């Protein structure tokens, strides 16, 4: 079965650079979530989108922005990178009940490991 | 979303059942109990969810107390590959709201 695809899997950037992470949800999933997981920490929610509109917002820094496109893929844009932004970034997708089996659970991608040097 | 409390760590012998408890005393009537696990640095993996009835799938069983204030995830025959952090999350079913991860339980399956 198709899963959530994230790219790139690994990314190295220098301080003050920008980075763009991409997430391709499971087909027919219309909701995307972004999470940040620092070393030794639990995943922290950043932001989510439903039907291309922002639906929920967590501890996302102002330097970060995200959007969901018409094909439901999402991009997380990170500017003025800091050393503390080094983390695993996970994307998850789900859909609203009524659209078939598995719609109530969120499924996660394998993440993008961002290293800021 | 309701807060959950889990023990920080547990050990289990390979081949034995692993029983992971979760307290969610402030759960509301429309919130489900979800379990996810995260094997080192991989994406969190969905395991099971339930509202008030016990649930079973190919991975695990979920036992929810009658008052819904606590639940137990059961891995019937733990293997070394089940070593992971297990997260209990309560959430309104089907909402686009976030999954809020707490501290989870580090389960170590011992040979």
């Amino acid at each position: 079965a198709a899963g959530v695809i994230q790219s790139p899997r690994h990314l190295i950037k220098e301080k003050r650079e920008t980075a763009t992470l991409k997430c391709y949800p499971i087909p027919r999933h219309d909701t995307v979530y972004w999470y940040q997981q620092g070393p030794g920490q639990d995943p922290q929610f950043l932001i989510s989108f439903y039907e291309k509109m922002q639906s929920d917002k967590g501890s996302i820094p102002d330097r970060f922005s995200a959007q969901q496109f018409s094909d439901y893929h999402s991009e997380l844009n990170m500017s003025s990178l800091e050393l503390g932004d080094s983390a695993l970034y996970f994307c998850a997708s789900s859909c609203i009940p009524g659209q078939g089996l598995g719609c109530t659970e969120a499924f996660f991608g394998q993440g993008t490991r961002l290293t800021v040097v | 979303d309701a807060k959950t409390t889990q023990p920080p760590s547990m050990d289990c012998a390979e081949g034995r059942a692993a029983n992971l408890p979760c307290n969610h005393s402030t759960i509301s009537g429309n919130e489900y109990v979800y379990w996810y696990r995260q094997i080192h640095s991989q994406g969190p993996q969905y395991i099971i969810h339930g509202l008030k009835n016990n649930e079973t799938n190919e991975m695990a069983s979920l036992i929810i107390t009658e008052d819904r204030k606590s639940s137990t995830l059961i891995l019937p025959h733990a293997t070394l590959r089940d070593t992971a952090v297990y997260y209990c999350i309560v959430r309104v079913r089907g909402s686009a709201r976030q999954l809020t991860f707490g501290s989870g339980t580090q389960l170590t399956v011992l040979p």
Side-chain angles (χ1 to χ4, degrees):
Chain A
V4 177
I5 305 297
Q6 291 188 247
S7 68
R9 292 295 309 278
H10 302 271
L11 189 59
I12 300 175
K13 290 286 186 177
E14 295 188 353
K15 285 193 303 183
R16 293 179 289 278
E17 285 193 316
T18 62
T20 297
L21 309 185
K22 296 184 179 183
C23 171
Y24 297 87
I26 291 171
R28 297 193 301 136
H29 280 196
D30 51 18
T31 305
V32 169
Y33 313 77
W34 285 98
Y35 287 80
Q36 178 191 60
Q37 186 173 27
Q41 298 180 0
D42 303 302
Q44 296 296 314
F45 172 73
L46 293 178
I47 196 167
S48 63
F49 293 86
Y50 166 62
E51 281 292 344
K52 293 154 279 185
M53 299 289 290
Q54 181 182 308
S55 65
D56 206 356
K57 191 172 182 180
S59 52
I60 184 169
D62 293 339
R63 298 177 290 108
F64 294 6
S65 65
Q67 59 181 322
Q68 186 179 31
F69 294 86
S70 57
D71 63 352
Y72 296 103
H73 94 273
S74 178
E75 295 183 4
L76 178 65
N77 299 294
M78 311 159 70
S79 63
S80 302
L81 287 169
E82 302 173 356
L83 296 178
D85 296 329
S86 296
L88 275 166
Y89 290 84
F90 291 108
C91 170
S93 74
S94 69
C95 51
I96 302 301
Q99 297 187 33
L101 291 176
C103 266
T104 61
E105 304 86 38
F107 294 92
F108 285 77
Q110 288 305 299
T112 294
R113 181 176 293 281
L114 173 67
T115 303
V116 182
V117 297
Chain B
D1 293 337
K3 181 181 171 67
T4 62
T5 304
Q6 300 177 249
S9 64
M10 293 182 64
D11 292 340
C12 176
E14 188 177 20
R16 304 296 293 270
N19 298 286
L20 293 95
C22 178
N23 287 320
H24 31 78
S25 58
T26 60
I27 191 170
S28 58
N30 63 344
E31 288 181 317
Y32 281 62
V33 180
Y34 286 80
W35 282 85
Y36 281 76
R37 73 180 182 184
Q38 186 176 29
I39 298 170
H40 182 63
S41 295
Q42 296 183 19
Q45 177 188 22
Y46 165 80
I47 302 173
I48 198 168
H49 74 278
L51 181 64
K52 55 183 178 181
N53 297 321
N54 298 337
E55 301 288 344
T56 296
N57 63 20
E58 65 277 5
M59 289 183 67
S61 295
L62 174 60
I63 309 297
I64 302 174
T65 57
E66 191 169 346
D67 63 7
R68 302 211 322 124
K69 293 186 177 181
S70 65
S71 61
T72 301
L73 178 74
I74 301 172
L75 307 179
H77 306 287
T79 71
L80 299 178
R81 287 177 292 181
D82 291 322
T83 293
V85 178
Y86 287 76
Y87 294 98
C88 168
I89 300 168
V90 293
R91 178 172 177 258
V92 176
R93 177 175 180 262
S95 80
R97 296 291 308 278
Q98 56 171 298
L99 285 162
T100 301
F101 289 85
S103 297
T105 297
Q106 171 65 61
L107 174 68
T108 302
V109 180
L110 303 171

